[in-house]
Each structure stands twice: as structure tokens, then as C-alpha cells.
């Protein structure tokens, strides 16, 4: 189910426009063109290396920090370990994740960027219920936090970082709806692990995870939109180790690490992928096409799946329906193995 080259060019061009014009769900950006938002706006009052405090614009992880001392003679409240948005500390097999992907102001990049974000979050809740199938539905907002661009930018990285104000707004939205926030990374020529580390202040929260889009991970001389990028099992394991360290350091619940895969060439040396404590690895089958084509790609991509790796499936509201139709939840749930994360773009 390869994506047409014209669509890839449209996506990278639209991403650049969306980041430049609408960076905060209707809130104008306060940074100048080309300025790195990671340096101009701190994601949270907590600062790097420590969890954001309670009472800030984005609540800190439940149970983070020390309890305030009570009145003289009163017992100290028991420490409460951070949990997932709807309870518990492990994602699977309790939950099935269902979400929308996108970026505000860039409608071509997915459903999450269309219209009012609050309405989209409510819509995700309804869609998620249709995928329960014996599990508890857990809605997901997959926000494009790093977007590949067709131009190099001032640092030659071919990527733009979504401003902290936008990430904060969507984190607050996820909190209101008891949903997970996944920060999607399309790295361009930037280092994947460096982009993940730049999001540390968000990742210390118990309801924030990472989604990687290695299709947009370019080698030297490659330009996003002209060719497929790629990653490998070693690099994915390195990201998982970093997240596992955060989980241990902050006593966080299990943290999702999704990697979307549109073709077998996009993820090399899959056998080198090593699950890490506290991290739920999810391989999401990407690609556009009819139900028959998507099922064929699914069978190809899940073949030889390493132990401990969960499965995900990606649907496109518009592109899948062109010349065919969108797969129904019942059809998706008939896939073997049954997807544990279903994402709509």
C-alpha cells in the first residue's frame, strides 16, 4: 500500500504551513520563523529533569513529589503510585488503544487537526467503544510533535518542532478526557533519540508516550517526501531503553512506544528489537489502500514479529476510501493477531 509521491509532497508542504500559521489550536506562535520552540518555551514549570508540580497549567504525575506535611499530629498521606489515565499501571491486556493523529492547522496530516480539538476528543471516545471487544477502551491523542519538512530549515535537519504551547494544550485536553497523549516524531535528518530526549519534560508524566514515524527518518542526502526513510531494531531498542529509564526514575506506569511501519524496508533488523521493562512496544501497520490491500500488508508486516511486541493498525479516513472504502471496526478486529492500537489519520 505505498503512498503516492504527490501525497508525500503535500504532507510535508502542509506540515510547514500548519506549524507556521496555527501552532496552538488557534493561538498564534510567539516565536520567530525558524526559532526552536524547545529553547523558547519550557514545556512545563517543572523544568528539565524533574516532574512538573501540581497546580501548574499541566498537572504533574499523580504521586509525584513529596506530600505536604499535615497539621501537627496528623498522619502523613500514603504515597500513591502514578497510574494510567483510566487506572492501573499496565496497558495490556486490560486496554485497547484507539486514537486520532494530527496537528492543528494542518488538516492533511490527520483527523486530530480538523476542527475543534475538544470535539475530536469526544469523537475518539465514541470510536474507541466500537473497538472494545472485551477490553476497556483507552482513547489516544497522537499529536505530531516533530514534523518532517521538505526544506532543510536553519539547522539543516529537515524537521520542525511543534511549540510547547500546542503540546501543553493537547496534554490538558488528554487529561480532561482521561486519554493518553502520544507525541509523534517524524525526525527528518535529526537524531531520533535526541528528539525523544527533547520531550523529556512531557515524558515524565504518566499519560504521555512516544510514536515514531521512521518513514520520515532521512539519511544524509535524503529529503522527506522523495523517498522512504528507515530505522532498525537497534535504534528502536535505544529509544525503549531511554523511556524505560524514565519509567524507573519516576515510578511511572507502563509507557507506550509505537513505531509506524509502511513497508518492510522501513524497519531493518527487526530481530534486534529488545523489549525493555516498563515500555509497551507497539508495531503499527501503516499504509493506504482497499481492505484487501491493507489485509495483505498486515500479514506481511506482522510475520516474524519479535516476542513482546504488540500490534497496531492505521486507517485513513479519506485516502483509504478513494476508489474503495474504509475498513469497519469488525473487519479490523478480525485481523490476526488482533490489533491492540487502532489509529485513524
Amino acid at each position: 500500500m505505498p503512498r503516492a509521491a504527490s501525497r508525500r509532497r503535500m504532507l510535508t508542504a502542509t506540515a510547514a504551513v500548519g506549524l507556521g500559521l496555527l501552532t496552538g489550536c488557534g493561538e498564534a506562535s510567539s516565536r520567530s520563523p525558524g526559532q526552536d520552540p524547545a529553547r523558547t518555551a519550557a514545556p512545563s514549570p517543572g523544568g528539565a529533569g524533574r516532574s512538573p508540580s501540581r497546580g501548574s497549567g499541566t498537572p504533574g504525575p499523580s504521586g509525584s513529589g513529596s506530600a505536604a506535611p499535615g497539621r501537627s499530629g496528623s498522619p502523613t498521606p500514603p504515597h500513591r503510585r502514578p497510574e494510567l489515565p483510566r487506572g492501573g499501571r499496565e496497558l495490556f491486556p486490560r486496554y485497547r488503544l484507539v486514537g486520532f493523529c494530527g496537528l492543528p492547522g494542518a488538516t492533511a496530516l490527520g483527523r486530530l487537526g480538523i476542527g475543534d480539538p475538544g470535539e475530536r476528543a469526544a469523537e475518539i471516545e465514541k470510536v474507541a467503544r466500537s473497538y472494545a471487544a472485551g477490553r476497556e477502551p483507552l482513547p489516544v491523542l497522537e499529536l505530531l510533535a516533530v514534523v518532517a519538512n521538505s526544506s532543510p530549515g536553519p539547522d539543516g535537519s529537515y524537521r520542525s518542532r511543534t511549540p510547547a504551547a500546542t503540546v501543553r494544550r493537547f496534554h490538558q485536553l488528554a487529561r480532561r478526557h482521561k486519554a493518553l497523549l502520544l507525541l509523534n516524531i517524524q525526525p527528518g535528518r535529526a537524531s531520533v533519540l535526541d528528539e525523544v530526549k527533547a520531550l523529556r519534560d512531557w515524558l515524565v508524566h504518566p499519560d504521555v508516550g512516544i510514536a515514531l514515524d521512521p518513514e520520515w527518518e532521512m539519511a544524509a542526502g535524503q529529503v522527506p517526501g522523495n523517498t522512504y526513510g528507515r530505522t532498525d531494531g537497534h535504534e528502536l531498542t535505544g529509544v525503549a531503553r531511554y523511556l524505560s529509564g524514565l519509567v524507573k526514575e519516576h515510578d511511572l506506569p507502563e509507557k507506550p512506544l509505537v513505531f509506524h511501519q509502511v513497508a518492510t524496508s522501513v524497519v531493518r533488523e527487526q530481530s534486534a528489537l529488545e523489549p525493555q521493562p516498563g515500555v509497551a512496544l507497539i508495531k503499527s501497520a501503516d499504509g493506504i489502500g482497499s481492505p484487501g490491500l491493507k489485509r495483505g500488508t498486515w500479514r506481511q508486516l506482522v510475520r516474524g514479529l519479535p516476542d513482546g511486541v504488540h500490534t497496531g493498525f492505521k486507517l485513513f479516513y479519506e485516502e483509504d476510501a478513494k476508489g474503495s472504502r474504509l475498513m469497519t471496526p469488525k473487519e479490523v478486529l478480525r485481523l490476526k493477531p488482533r490489533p491492540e492500537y487502532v489509529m485513524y489519520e
Side-chain angles (χ1 to χ4, degrees):
M1 295 180 289
R3 302 185 189 188
S6 60
R7 179 178 184 272
R8 295 171 59 80
R9 287 193 293 269
M10 176 187 70
L11 289 182
T12 51
T14 306
V17 172
L19 281 172
L21 297 181
L22 288 173
T23 58
C25 295
E27 178 181 5
S29 173
S30 59
R31 64 189 177 99
S32 58
Q35 195 171 15
D36 188 343
R39 300 178 183 224
T40 59
S44 63
R50 60 191 179 99
S51 303
S53 60
R54 294 180 182 272
S56 63
T58 300
S62 58
S64 65
S66 302
R71 294 181 180 178
S72 178
S74 62
T76 302
H79 175 74
R80 182 182 175 187
R81 302 181 76 190
E83 294 189 343
L84 294 165
R86 303 196 176 190
R89 289 177 53 86
E90 293 185 358
L91 287 165
F92 307 119
R94 176 174 175 176
Y95 293 108
R96 192 176 319 281
L97 279 52
V98 181
F100 289 170
C101 179
L103 179 72
T107 58
L109 296 183
R111 188 76 163 190
L112 193 61
I114 298 174
D116 177 72
E119 292 179 1
R120 295 289 75 75
E123 184 182 2
I124 294 170
E125 183 78 49
K126 293 180 181 178
V127 175
R129 291 193 203 113
S130 65
Y131 281 98
R135 294 194 181 187
E136 296 180 42
L138 181 54
V140 174
L141 310 181
E142 188 169 319
L143 178 70
L144 299 179
V146 180
V147 184
N149 295 326
S150 56
S151 58
D155 62 357
S157 65
Y158 286 86
R159 66 94 174 95
S160 299
R161 289 177 175 174
T162 298
T166 304
V167 180
R168 181 180 298 109
R169 192 180 288 256
F170 275 82
H171 189 208
Q172 292 170 345
L173 179 65
R175 283 281 171 96
R176 289 196 296 272
H177 289 266
K178 294 184 178 180
L180 280 175
L181 176 67
L182 288 187
L183 299 177
N184 181 295
I185 295 175
Q186 301 177 356
R189 292 190 194 172
S191 159
V192 172
L193 187 56
D194 285 350
E195 295 305 310
V196 173
K197 289 180 178 180
L199 296 168
R200 177 189 171 96
D201 280 351
W202 301 110
L203 293 171
V204 297
H205 290 279
D207 51 359
V208 180
I210 286 290
L212 302 178
D213 226 334
E215 172 190 351
W216 303 97
E217 182 179 342
M218 301 291 112
Q222 294 181 331
V223 175
N226 292 344
T227 185
Y228 282 149
R230 69 188 189 194
T231 186
D232 58 43
H234 301 286
E235 183 174 61
L236 293 173
T237 298
V239 174
R241 284 200 184 107
Y242 176 74
L243 295 178
S244 180
L246 292 182
V247 168
K248 182 178 180 180
E249 179 183 355
H250 296 276
D251 191 27
L252 298 172
E254 193 170 41
K255 193 167 287 294
L257 171 56
V258 177
F259 59 100
H260 296 290
Q261 185 173 356
V262 67
T264 54
S265 64
V266 169
V267 180
R268 305 290 180 93
E269 298 182 77
Q270 185 175 254
S271 60
L273 182 55
E274 300 176 10
Q276 300 297 311
V279 178
L281 286 166
I282 304 170
K283 176 178 180 172
S284 173
D286 199 341
I288 295 166
S290 66
L293 283 173
K294 293 179 83 76
R295 280 191 285 266
T297 298
W298 171 262
R299 288 191 291 269
Q300 186 180 40
L301 292 179
V302 301
R303 189 181 302 127
L305 197 69
D307 291 340
V309 178
H310 303 271
T311 55
F313 193 70
K314 194 171 182 180
L315 295 152
F316 295 82
Y317 273 112
E318 294 186 6
E319 290 89 344
D320 283 351
K322 287 181 179 178
S324 183
R325 63 175 178 81
L326 190 67
M327 289 181 71
T328 67
K330 287 184 179 180
E331 289 175 319
V332 174
L333 290 170
R334 281 201 291 266
L335 295 170
K336 302 295 182 184
R338 182 176 281 178
E340 296 183 276
Y341 175 37
V342 179
M343 194 268 271
Y344 285 85
E345 187 172 303

